Amino acid sequence: TSTTTDGSYPALLPRPIESRDDAEPARPDPVAIPDSTLDARISQRREAAAAAAKRFQTAISIAESRVAVARGAPVGSEAWVAAQTALADLDAIRGETVQLVTDLEEEASARALAGSPAYPALNAAIDAIAHQALTQADRAKTLEGALAG
């Protein structure tokens, strides 16, 4: 292709180099291959999270009643100590939930380091259990505030 029309003026048509496509070639996202061993670990962690959620529900009811009794009671009194013990029980259960999230995040990190694609079931479990841990923390913090105030 000539870059001039009649020899006196340059052509305004694009040169071959200007019409080439410099975009990265489209590559499909890698798809995670089903992994029954990983699925079993995810299922186990979800079951443990569900059990922790049930224990937390029981413990929160106990803590709410103990905090209600301890409001206005002096620090160190029997009612205050009972409320603090109930709050500590909540923290222990929440700690179990946080540990489950940590375990799953370590799985995801190991997969990423190995160059494996994201595993949707793993990411969904991390999100769900992390949300559970956050909700538990918020409820415990509310009770701690009620006892302090």
Side-chain angles (χ1 to χ4, degrees):
T1 304
S2 174
T3 57
T4 60
T5 54
D6 63 1
S8 60
Y9 296 103
L12 298 177
L13 297 173
R15 294 175 293 177
I17 192 77
E18 294 172 326
S19 61
R20 80 172 184 210
D21 186 6
D22 289 331
E24 286 289 324
R27 293 185 182 104
D29 289 335
V31 177
I33 298 169
D35 181 341
S36 60
T37 304
L38 179 56
D39 287 336
R41 286 194 302 267
I42 293 168
S43 179
Q44 179 187 37
R45 302 277 187 328
R46 281 188 174 271
E47 289 171 12
K54 285 182 182 180
R55 287 194 325 278
F56 190 86
Q57 280 305 115
T58 301
I60 197 87
S61 296
I62 293 167
E64 286 170 342
S65 64
R66 289 186 180 172
V67 166
V69 169
R71 275 194 199 152
V75 172
S77 68
E78 189 175 322
W80 184 87
V81 169
Q84 288 292 340
T85 302
L87 291 173
D89 291 343
L90 291 178
D91 281 343
I93 296 168
R94 189 182 64 78
E96 292 173 27
T97 305
V98 169
Q99 184 59 52
L100 292 169
V101 174
T102 301
D103 293 346
L104 290 170
E105 286 175 337
E106 287 174 356
E107 290 265 6
S109 179
R111 285 182 61 80
L113 286 173
S116 299
Y119 202 76
L122 179 59
N123 293 340
I126 290 170
D127 291 345
I129 299 172
H131 178 38
Q132 177 181 323
L134 183 61
T135 301
Q136 290 173 348
D138 289 344
R139 291 188 71 191
K141 184 170 269 184
T142 299
L143 280 179
E144 289 170 6
L147 183 61

